[in-house]
Amino acid sequence: MGYSTKIMDYPKSIWIVIHREADITRSIFESQRMAQSLGFDHGRAQMIATAVSELARNIIKYAQKGKIIITPLNERRRSGIEIICQDTGPGIPNVDQAMEDYFSSSGTLGLGLPGVKRMMDEFEITSIVNQGTKVIIRKWL
Amino acid sequence: MMSNFYTSDAGDMRNAATLQTLYKISEEDIQYIRGLGEFMLPQMDHMVHTWYEWLMTQPEYEQFFADSRALHHAQKMQHIYWEQFIEAQLDDNYVESRRKIGETHARIGLSMTIFFAGMSIFHDLFSKIMAQRNLKLKEQVRTIDAVSKLLHLDTGIVCEVYTIMSNETITAQSRSLMEMSTPVTQIWENILLLPVVGIVDSKRAQDIMNAVLSAINRTQSRIFILDISGVAVVDTAVANHLIKITKATRLMGCESTISGISPAIAQTMIELGIDVGTIKTTANMMDALNDSFRSLNLQIHKVER
């Protein structure tokens, strides 16, 4: 894709390669654990983990393989958590459509993306057909 | 027997030729290593012996090599290992033999530290023996370089398989934990209960489905309480699984209640737009049980004594 994700850019990040269901489990636990260690309460940590779970499942479902990078954010006046979900799958031809409720190209409920967006404070998506999709989500304390 | 240990795509499974290129082992390197043969092979007993003298000082020795047969076997394997090393026939059999070592270490729980230290000690022995020969310095350095490269290649393969095996073990453990934890229990006549803890993936959802449906069949229960207060996350996939389970029980004449919807889960489900339709949900298991008693026309009374 048009951006590079170098390991050195994320010194405190946890990287998880996603290519089977067990990796979803790991991304759920790791994001929940990091969120709680940053000071998110149990409910908000669970919400973050749910968002990560949703995105990780999308990787398996549509791209088979990808990665998730969970990063603690520490700015001068605020802190939070950032999760990057990146795959090299088929990409989403129409991102706007994918962001609508009840749209799914795989015949399932397809509520994932808009739901994730609602649960998080920030949501960015970049997708290039035949190259992949990158979703960045953030939640602030 | 070997084939299934590391067929997993969880690790690096490059073949011999690719690994050789990756570690920049040239034909010249291989010639240098093979050149060691006539000199090194007669000293092999001494080298393996030196290594075991070192190992005897380690706590692992008692644990793994106290049995003389095990020790003998390990020493024999060590001989074969270093003979292969000096033959430097870098084909897929070579790689396979190294994977086998990683597999063995992981299986018996012999740490990577011991393996790395052992490799380092052998490297040291190689250097010392080399120094005894009257070689030109350049040739000596080139040989040691070549040996280092191949040692690194070996170590890389062993470590990779060790990691894969450890990960497999963890996955298998969590899998077996999950399988153990679908205890559908008849808590009252006509009432089944299943508390779900942890992660619900598709395999587990299927396990739950099977366990519940067969319990309904066995006990003729009318009510099934599925408590999800211990579930880590309820995303759309998990919700879909839960909805399917309740639909299936309903087809068998057993109404499901999903209990343990915490404030966080309720909010998450709303944000995700999950519609549970006509499925009955409660905040906790007690409410679900009370409702069940009511619909079965049962009452719990305190007995005056």
Side-chain angles (χ1 to χ4, degrees):
Chain A
M1 304 201 65
Y3 36 76
S4 66
T5 311
K6 296 193 203 81
I7 206 157
M8 289 310 291
D9 295 342
Y10 302 94
K12 290 176 199 158
S13 304
I14 295 172
W15 288 53
I16 302 167
V17 173
I18 305 289
H19 70 131
R20 50 180 183 174
E21 223 173 350
D23 303 323
I24 302 178
T25 305
R26 196 172 156 229
S27 65
I28 291 170
F29 282 134
E30 295 288 3
S31 55
Q32 192 161 23
R33 198 168 60 172
M34 187 179 288
Q36 277 182 314
S37 74
L38 287 168
F40 286 97
D41 63 32
H42 177 77
R44 297 228 299 161
Q46 200 170 22
M47 200 172 257
I48 291 163
T50 308
V52 173
S53 165
E54 206 72 48
L55 296 174
R57 270 184 221 285
N58 282 346
I59 291 179
I60 303 254
K61 197 156 68 179
Y62 298 104
Q64 283 79 52
K65 201 168 174 178
K67 63 170 174 269
I68 284 184
I69 305 165
I70 309 164
T71 309
L73 299 174
N74 283 300
E75 292 181 3
R76 229 181 315 159
R77 311 184 69 180
R78 59 179 184 173
S79 54
I81 189 168
E82 176 187 83
I83 299 108
I84 299 176
C85 299
Q86 195 172 0
D87 66 59
T88 47
I92 305 168
N94 189 340
V95 172
D96 290 339
Q97 197 181 25
M99 291 308 298
E100 285 167 19
D101 275 319
Y102 305 110
F103 172 80
S104 167
S105 56
S106 69
T108 52
L109 275 176
L111 321 143
L113 290 178
V116 169
K117 188 177 179 179
R118 277 193 291 268
M119 287 192 286
M120 303 301 285
D121 295 328
E122 290 172 36
F123 180 99
E124 292 164 26
I125 181 165
T126 330
S127 191
I128 302 171
V129 173
N130 293 328
Q131 288 193 34
T133 303
K134 182 180 187 178
V135 178
I136 305 177
I137 52 176
R138 289 182 204 95
K139 202 165 181 78
W140 300 101
L141 264 171
Chain B
M1 175 199 156
M2 276 303 298
S3 58
N4 285 332
F5 284 124
Y6 38 76
T7 46
S8 148
D9 49 357
D12 191 294
M13 286 295 139
R14 288 179 171 89
N15 67 12
T18 316
L19 285 169
Q20 190 179 338
T21 316
L22 195 64
Y23 283 85
K24 295 195 193 311
I25 299 173
S26 62
E27 279 309 309
E28 205 191 349
D29 286 320
I30 289 179
Q31 290 315 319
Y32 274 115
I33 294 168
R34 286 181 186 157
L36 284 168
E38 52 161 337
F39 196 73
M40 230 37 118
L41 287 174
Q43 308 216 36
M44 202 54 84
D45 277 333
H46 165 70
M47 286 176 70
V48 172
H49 181 73
T50 310
W51 186 76
Y52 275 92
E53 274 188 344
W54 165 79
L55 189 64
M56 277 171 81
T57 64
Q58 303 305 312
E60 279 84 356
Y61 188 81
E62 275 296 302
Q63 197 185 340
F64 294 100
F65 303 107
D67 174 7
S68 67
R69 273 187 322 184
L71 181 65
H72 185 72
H73 178 74
Q75 283 176 330
K76 201 178 102 197
M77 298 313 281
Q78 198 102 32
H79 268 276
I80 296 170
Y81 182 93
W82 292 110
E83 276 160 27
Q84 281 179 331
F85 187 89
I86 287 165
E87 276 169 30
Q89 199 65 252
L90 289 192
D91 52 16
D92 288 339
N93 282 335
Y94 184 92
V95 174
E96 186 79 358
S97 73
R98 271 51 188 157
R99 288 193 177 137
K100 210 171 203 166
I101 291 161
E103 187 268 312
T104 309
H105 274 253
R107 194 161 38 75
I108 68 176
L110 191 53
S111 74
M112 278 289 98
T113 303
I114 282 292
F115 178 77
F116 282 126
M119 292 303 257
S120 173
I121 282 167
F122 267 99
H123 188 266
D124 195 41
L125 283 169
F126 272 115
S127 306
K128 282 201 176 112
I129 293 171
M130 284 291 301
Q132 291 165 13
R133 295 178 73 185
N134 288 322
L135 289 177
K136 288 193 190 103
L137 183 64
K138 188 190 159 219
E139 208 176 327
Q140 225 181 78
V141 170
R142 284 290 289 115
T143 310
I144 289 298
D145 274 354
V147 166
S148 300
K149 284 184 195 173
L150 192 54
L151 279 178
H152 285 145
L153 179 141
D154 279 13
T155 313
I157 299 169
V158 170
C159 203
E160 189 73 41
V161 173
Y162 191 89
T163 313
I164 295 170
M165 291 279 296
S166 312
N167 287 344
E168 297 279 300
T169 311
I170 295 165
T171 310
Q173 278 170 350
S174 58
R175 174 66 64 203
S176 57
L177 266 179
M178 277 186 185
E179 275 160 16
M180 279 191 290
S181 50
T182 45
V184 182
T185 317
Q186 189 175 23
I187 51 164
W188 208 271
E189 203 184 343
N190 281 321
I191 305 176
L192 293 173
L193 170 73
L194 173 64
V196 187
V197 176
I199 297 284
V200 179
D201 60 10
S202 53
K203 167 79 168 60
R204 186 148 187 230
Q206 192 57 50
D207 290 345
I208 294 173
M209 177 85 89
N210 293 342
V212 171
L213 297 186
S214 71
I216 295 171
N217 194 36
R218 201 175 55 243
T219 62
Q220 305 295 316
S221 295
R222 309 293 307 275
I223 290 169
F224 170 53
I225 301 170
L226 182 63
D227 188 79
I228 62 164
S229 54
V231 171
V233 300
V234 179
D235 62 2
T236 50
V238 173
N240 277 337
H241 288 313
L242 298 180
I243 292 168
K244 265 189 206 158
I245 290 167
T246 60
K247 278 182 179 166
T249 67
R250 187 175 287 166
L251 286 175
M252 290 187 72
C254 176
E255 281 298 321
S256 293
T257 300
I258 298 178
S259 72
I261 310 270
S262 66
I265 287 183
Q267 216 177 323
T268 310
M269 287 172 80
I270 292 300
E271 299 291 21
L272 284 174
I274 295 165
D275 179 11
V276 295
T278 55
I279 299 163
K280 198 167 178 183
T281 62
T282 62
N284 55 53
M285 207 195 290
M286 199 165 84
D287 288 345
L289 198 54
N290 271 326
D291 290 350
S292 309
F293 285 147
R294 204 171 303 127
S295 70
L296 292 169
N297 299 321
L298 292 169
Q299 267 186 334
I300 306 280
H301 288 289
K302 188 171 183 175
V303 180
E304 299 292 336
R305 285 183 196 272

